């Protein structure tokens, strides 16, 4: 009987180890292909020049990198305050009320909504009435994706703050808003910040919500009221073209984006670990 | 005198009002060409023409809802459809579609396939490379005793529309069983997404056959089959043969240039060629003038880069016909 159990244990352990290796293997494989093709395609021109047709040497991704950053930062400016305020409401005011739980459920559903649906929604409410593709629609679409992530992490992080801290602040005569901003936020700030970083990393690599909102731009553009270029959409159209130099730029775009997001994730891990210590 | 200066003043003011930014969307196939033309145009005039490839269907939809300044489609629209949506249409360039194959040891243009045989292969009626029907036209080629793997598009596409139109014209059974469309019910084969997907499948699968745009064939060094003209003469998919085909096209202003170019007459006319079209919203006269200026300039200076990228420029007579169409519409 005992041997039987040990045997089952060994089999399951082997299988789950294999599954982990398989998953990890694919990740390493993807990164390897990306580094191999992407690193080879990197050069200084990529950072100095904007898009150019196949066969032109002065061809780069400056317009797309700047555009992508503008969109992601713009979305953060809209999405983060809303997400934090909503999360604060859930944890500090709504708590376990019906409304609060309803909002939590809706937010969870939104988190798993396909991003193309959000893009189409913003197309209908902003692009169609305005009559042209523009950067504002792009940042709204990304912000909609960001809000549920920030909301959920804020809610979770605030609920980790011990109630005794809140009671102490109230006992000292602090009004509720001071208790929240100076005591609760202060002890949860690393967690909230990590949530913001993760949500930023999440939206920085999106294509689908941008396709029919901020569209894409082959030219350098800083005006939110016009189509804005993005690395992701540019990557797609370059990678599927027949021309080798464009395909290389596509790899470079993928490499830059992956390293940027990997970097953001590593930074947020670092913050999480520091908090644990 | 006063009138003249007033007119010139007006002209100057409309010139100043001219938009320095134009947005277009649509067909994937001509995107690199418009990108190239726009790049040169921006360098010489400062006007930025931002064209994005979202597919012909998307281009038609976005210009219908007036979200973009011009749309682009590989499938021409008929005049009544254009009228309903208040659109104008003209061709901008021509492309050719090549039947490509991957048979180890057999080079480009070595295999000759009659148009009807191409249909039989895509129907799944001919399943082996050494089928007597193929052998008959290729007596000196060492055809292998291998199954043919058919590769087609998995997504809706203008390339498929033009290729299946050609198959319907040359193969009765194809017309009855499958027909013409941007996406059809393929009797056999595996699907690749986009021209690049079909290219990759054909490259990686020995003994396969597929169809791609000329630029993909050339850039990836695929082997293309020699096919037949409308009258049954052997013809290779070269630039000259596609040009010869373009010359015969009977474009007309009356039908808003609605024209499917496959199977033109002539001894050197490559049979699978297709136009790619621009759609303009009728009521936006000022915007249209700017768009037309861009295409007029590209017609004048863009032929060389079109050929380099694998496209066939429109013949001079066609360009002039388009210019007179613009004049009729008051936008040139």
């Amino acid at each position: 009987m005992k041997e039987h159990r040990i045997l089952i244990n060994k089999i399951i352990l082997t299988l789950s180890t294999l599954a982990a290796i398989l998953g990890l293997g694919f990740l390493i494989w993807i990164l390897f292909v990306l580094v191999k093709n992407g690193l080879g395609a990197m050069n200084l021109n990529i950072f100095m020049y904007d898009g150019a047709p196949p066969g032109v040497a002065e061809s780069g991704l400056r317009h797309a990198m700047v555009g992508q950053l503008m969109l992601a930062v713009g979305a953060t400016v809209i999405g983060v305050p809303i997400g934090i305020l909503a999360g604060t409401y859930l944890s500090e005011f709504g708590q376990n009320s019906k409304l609060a739980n309803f909002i939590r459920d809706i937010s969870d559903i939104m988190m798993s909504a396909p991003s193309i649906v959000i893009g189409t929604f913003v197309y209908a409410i902003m692009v169609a009435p305005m009559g042209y593709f523009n950067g504002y629609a792009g940042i709204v679409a990304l912000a909609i994706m960001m809000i549920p992530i920030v909301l959920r992490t804020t809610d979770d992080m605030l609920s980790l703050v011990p109630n005794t801290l809140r009671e102490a602040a109230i006992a000292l005569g602090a009004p509720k808003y001071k208790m929240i901003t100076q005591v609760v936020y202060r002890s949860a700030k690393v967690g909230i910040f990590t949530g913001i970083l993760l949500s930023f990393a999440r939206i920085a690599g999106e294509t689908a919500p941008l396709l029919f909102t901020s569209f894409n731009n082959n030219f350098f553009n800083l005006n939110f009221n016009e189509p804005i270029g993005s690395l992701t959409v540019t990557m797609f159209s370059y990678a599927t073209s027949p021309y080798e130099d464009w395909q290389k730029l596509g790899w470079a775009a993928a490499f830059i984006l992956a390293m940027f997001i990997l970097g953001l994730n590593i930074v947020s891990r670092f913050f999480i670990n520091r908090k644990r210590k | 005198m006063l009138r003249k200066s007033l007119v010139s003043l007006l002209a100057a003011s409309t010139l100043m009002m001219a938009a320095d930014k134009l947005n277009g969307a649509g067909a994937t196939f001509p995107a690199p060409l418009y990108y190239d033309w726009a790049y040169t145009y921006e360098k010489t005039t400062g006007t930025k023409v931002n064209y994005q490839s979202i597919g012909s269907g998307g281009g038609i939809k976005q210009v219908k809802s007036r979200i973009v300044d011009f749309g682009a489609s590989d499938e021409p629209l008929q005049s009544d459809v254009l009228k309903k949506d208040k659109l104008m249409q003209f061709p901008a360039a021509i492309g050719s579609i090549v039947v490509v194959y991957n048979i180890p040891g057999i080079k480009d243009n070595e295999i000759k396939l009659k148009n009807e045989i191409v249909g039989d292969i895509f129907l799944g009626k001919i399943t082996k490379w050494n089928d007597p029907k193929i052998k008959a036209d290729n007596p000196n080629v060492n055809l292998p005793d291998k199954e043919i793997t058919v590769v087609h598009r998995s997504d809706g596409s203008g390339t498929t529309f033009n290729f299946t139109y050609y198959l319907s014209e040359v193969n009765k059974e194809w017309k009855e069983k499958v027909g013409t469309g941007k996406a059809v019910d393929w009797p056999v084969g595996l699907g690749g997404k986009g021209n690049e997907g079909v290219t990759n499948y054909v490259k990686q699968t020995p003994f396969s056959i597929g169809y791609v745009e000329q630029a993909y064939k050339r850039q990836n060094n695929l082997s293309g089959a020699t096919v037949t003209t409308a009258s049954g003469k052997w013809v290779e998919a070269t630039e000259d043969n596609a040009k010869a085909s373009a010359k015969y096209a009977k474009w007309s202003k009356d039908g808003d240039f609605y024209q499917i170019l496959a199977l033109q007459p002539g001894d050197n006319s490559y049979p699978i060629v297709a136009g790619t079209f621009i759609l303009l919203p009728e009521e936006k006269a000022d915007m249209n003038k700017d768009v037309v200026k861009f295409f007029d300039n590209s017609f004048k200076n863009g032929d060389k880069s079109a050929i380099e990228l694998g496209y066939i420029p429109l013949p001079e007579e066609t360009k002039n016909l388009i210019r007179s169409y613009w004049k009729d519409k008051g936008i040139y």
Side-chain angles (χ1 to χ4, degrees), chain B residues 117-137:
Chain B
I117 305 282
V118 176
D120 285 348
I121 293 175
F122 278 87
L123 272 170
K125 273 172 74 187
I126 294 177
T127 57
K128 284 200 165 171
W129 280 110
N130 63 351
D131 190 282
K133 274 186 174 168
I134 302 181
K135 247 183 170 170
D137 293 323

Side-chain angles (χ1 to χ4, degrees), chain B residues 185-200:
Chain B
D185 202 357
W186 296 95
V188 286
L190 44 106
K193 196 194 160 294
N195 271 300
E196 69 283 0
V198 174
T199 303
N200 284 337

Side-chain angles (χ1 to χ4, degrees), chain A residues 18-239:
Chain A
L18 277 177
I21 289 173
L22 191 75
L24 206 64
F26 274 112
L27 184 69
I28 290 171
W29 190 10
I30 291 171
L31 280 176
F32 173 74
V33 173
L34 206 57
V35 169
K36 197 185 107 198
N37 290 298
L39 216 52
M42 294 296 284
N43 60 57
L44 261 183
N45 279 0
I46 289 173
F47 299 95
M48 286 163 59
Y49 293 102
D50 300 328
V56 175
E58 288 85 27
S59 182
L61 296 165
R62 188 182 66 146
H63 65 301
M65 285 190 268
V66 171
Q68 188 98 38
L69 215 58
M70 279 168 69
L71 291 168
V73 171
T76 310
V77 170
I78 299 181
V80 166
I82 297 178
I84 290 185
L85 288 176
T88 309
Y89 166 77
L90 291 183
S91 163
E92 302 301 313
F93 299 92
Q95 284 159 353
N96 269 324
S97 69
K98 263 190 183 163
L99 177 66
N101 281 327
F102 179 68
I103 294 174
R104 283 189 188 104
D105 289 343
I106 293 287
S107 148
D108 284 353
I109 293 168
M110 265 176 72
M111 218 185 292
S112 50
S115 50
I116 188 89
V117 173
I118 292 166
T120 316
F121 168 69
V122 176
Y123 176 88
I125 63 158
M126 282 185 77
V127 177
M130 287 169 86
Y132 51 93
F133 293 114
N134 60 80
Y136 293 119
I139 60 176
V140 168
L142 292 181
I144 291 177
M145 295 194 61
M146 219 171 174
I147 290 168
I149 307 173
V150 178
L151 177 150
R152 204 62 224 238
T153 45
T154 308
D155 183 18
D156 289 347
M157 288 302 148
L158 294 187
S159 62
L160 285 179
V161 176
N163 262 333
T164 45
L165 274 181
R166 293 190 179 88
E167 284 160 8
I170 301 281
L172 288 172
K176 194 160 185 181
Y177 78 93
K178 268 209 169 143
M179 180 268 282
I180 293 170
T181 50
Q182 304 205 342
V183 176
V184 181
Y185 275 173
R186 207 170 274 188
S187 33
K189 68 180 175 203
V190 177
I192 295 173
F193 183 63
T194 311
I196 294 171
L197 270 186
L198 285 176
S199 69
F200 187 82
R202 170 83 180 77
I203 57 147
E206 276 295 338
T207 320
L210 300 179
L211 216 49
F212 289 104
T213 51
S214 62
F215 201 43
N216 188 20
N217 204 326
N218 302 336
F219 297 98
F220 189 79
N221 169 36
L222 295 174
N223 186 350
F224 275 113
N225 207 25
E226 286 167 16
I228 290 186
S230 59
L231 271 179
T232 42
V233 181
T234 306
M235 186 197 308
F236 178 72
S237 64
Y238 278 16

Side-chain angles (χ1 to χ4, degrees), chain B residues 214-281:
Chain B
Q214 175 72 270
Y216 286 85
K217 184 239 170 198
R218 218 165 45 179
Q219 299 284 335
N220 294 285
N221 294 316
L222 296 173
S223 302
T226 299
V227 291
T228 44
T229 63
S231 54
K233 293 203 165 62
W234 294 115
V235 64
E236 294 180 7
T238 61
E239 184 194 313
D240 285 340
N241 294 342
K243 264 187 185 164
S245 203
K247 268 196 194 116
Y248 283 98
K250 287 192 194 69
W251 302 103
S252 121
K253 291 193 286 180
D254 297 335
D256 297 286
F257 297 95
Y258 179 91
Q259 178 79 264
I260 296 167
L261 296 186
L263 295 155
Q264 294 295 325
D267 285 349
N268 307 312
S269 296
Y270 182 73
I272 333 172
V273 289
T276 184
F277 299 82
I278 297 296
L279 299 164
L280 297 176

Side-chain angles (χ1 to χ4, degrees), chain B residues 3 10 14 17 82 86 98 111 127 142 158 176 185 189 198 205 215 229 266 279 284 307 323 330:
Chain B
R3 241 177 103 175
L10 266 172
T14 50
M17 270 164 60
L82 290 167
K86 298 201 172 55
V98 189
I111 289 204
T127 57
N142 187 19
E176 282 160 17
D185 202 357
V198 174
T205 320
T229 63
L279 299 164
K284 294 191 178 171
I307 291 169
R323 289 187 180 109

Side-chain angles (χ1 to χ4, degrees), chain A residues 53 123 216 218 238 240 242-243, chain B residues 35 50 52 62 216 219 309:
Chain A
Y123 176 88
N216 188 20
N218 302 336
Y238 278 16
T240 55
Y243 313 100
Chain B
Y35 201 130
N50 176 34
Q52 296 300 329
Q62 296 308 325
Y216 286 85
Q219 299 284 335
L309 292 173

Side-chain angles (χ1 to χ4, degrees), chain B residues 153 155-165 181-184 186 211:
Chain B
R153 291 281 288 268
D155 49 337
S157 98
T159 312
T160 297
F161 172 82
N162 286 301
F163 184 66
T164 51
Y165 176 87
K182 277 191 277 200
V184 296
W186 296 95
Y211 61 96

